[in-house]
Amino acid sequence: MARTVGIGIQDFEKIVINNIFYVDKTHFIKEWWESGDDVTLITRPRRFGKTLNMNMLEYFFSIRYANKGKLFEKFSIWKEEAYHKLQGSYPVISLSFANVKERDYETTVYRIIQILMKQYEKCSFLKLSNVLSDSEKIYFDKVTKELNEQDAPMALHQLSDYLCRYYDKKVIILLDEYDTPMQEAYVYGFWDELVSFTRSLLYF
């Protein structure tokens, strides 16, 4: 039976469930995991499938998708039995700057801050745990409600630390379209400012 060739679909689960034509790239999971790199930068031509691959990684590793192992059963990664236990076993922070296309520094930073605040909202369960101290809970509430430019560079680091302590595992951070706001910064003349902010944000 002919399979549909989806255009622009960037959700791995949707592709699998709807039996949409998909070139199996799940071996990348094994290749990336066994490289042991702390940081991996993936640069490829446009429309090469980077976003879909990032989404695939999130479905594979994220604790949020611990019950999604069946999505991978017909792909090459599932032939590696050792990887069955890895599926759905890590805290994952997934970010995308794809829609951060502003023409000035202030608005760009504001949009990135909104993305960070949304991540804190998704992890609000941390406030109910015993992992956070009283002062950390106050900080968590502050970030959720009103995060400023001065505190933003540490927000991702802090959330990663909280999740690491909660799950007793290192956190996987996936950042898609990191270069989109950088391209706008270059075009509209605030490159140096945004480079400084982004460097602080991603420094661990």
Side-chain angles (χ1 to χ4, degrees):
M1 185 176 72
R3 300 171 68 185
T4 300
V5 178
I7 298 175
I9 300 175
Q10 299 175 336
D11 186 281
F12 180 74
E13 182 178 38
K14 183 176 181 180
I15 285 176
V16 176
I17 289 177
N18 292 288
N19 197 33
I20 293 171
F21 182 79
Y22 174 71
V23 176
D24 186 355
K25 297 181 181 179
T26 60
H27 186 73
F28 172 70
I29 296 169
K30 174 180 169 66
E31 180 181 331
W32 174 72
W33 187 254
E34 294 183 2
S35 71
D37 296 333
D38 286 339
V39 178
T40 302
L41 174 63
I42 302 173
T43 57
R44 289 292 185 272
R46 287 179 57 80
R47 316 315 306 168
F48 198 79
K50 299 186 296 296
T51 296
L52 178 57
N53 269 4
M54 299 278 273
N55 185 257
M56 174 190 70
L57 287 174
E58 184 179 5
Y59 271 107
F60 188 83
F61 285 106
S62 178
I63 288 172
R64 289 179 58 205
Y65 302 121
N67 61 341
K68 299 289 186 177
K70 287 187 177 181
L71 294 175
F72 296 89
E73 286 181 349
K74 62 181 180 180
F75 299 117
S76 64
I77 190 62
W78 216 245
K79 296 177 183 178
E80 306 281 345
E81 290 190 16
Y83 281 79
H84 293 192
K85 293 181 179 179
L86 276 179
Q87 196 281 317
S89 64
Y90 274 83
V92 174
I93 298 174
S94 182
L95 308 166
S96 175
F97 290 170
N99 294 321
V100 184
K101 301 177 180 179
E102 311 304 330
R103 298 189 177 192
D104 61 82
Y105 173 75
E106 290 75 16
T107 311
T108 298
V109 169
Y110 175 74
R111 295 282 285 108
I112 292 174
I113 284 175
Q114 286 182 313
I115 292 169
L116 295 174
M117 291 172 67
K118 182 64 67 175
Q119 291 298 317
Y120 272 77
E121 289 178 13
K122 289 180 179 179
C123 297
S124 59
F125 61 87
L126 290 169
K127 293 191 297 181
L128 303 177
S129 72
N130 296 321
V131 171
L132 272 61
S133 67
D134 289 341
S135 61
E136 287 173 332
K137 289 179 181 179
I138 293 172
Y139 172 84
F140 196 102
D141 280 332
K142 179 182 177 182
V143 172
T144 304
K145 297 174 183 177
E146 186 178 356
L147 179 60
N148 58 42
E149 181 182 342
Q150 288 69 39
D151 293 331
M154 283 299 294
L156 187 58
H157 174 85
Q158 289 297 107
L159 184 59
S160 177
D161 177 60
Y162 299 157
L163 288 170
C164 180
R165 285 153 48 192
Y166 182 85
Y167 289 109
D168 195 26
K169 283 189 173 183
K170 289 187 175 181
V171 177
I172 297 172
I173 298 176
L174 302 174
L175 174 56
D176 191 27
E177 297 281 356
Y178 76 94
D179 58 328
T180 296
M182 301 305 300
Q183 290 174 6
E184 301 301 311
Y186 180 79
V187 172
Y188 293 106
F190 55 97
W191 170 267
D192 290 341
E193 290 176 287
L194 191 60
V195 165
S196 178
F197 175 81
T198 305
R199 184 183 293 119
S200 298
L201 180 68
L202 302 179
Y203 179 76
F204 284 83

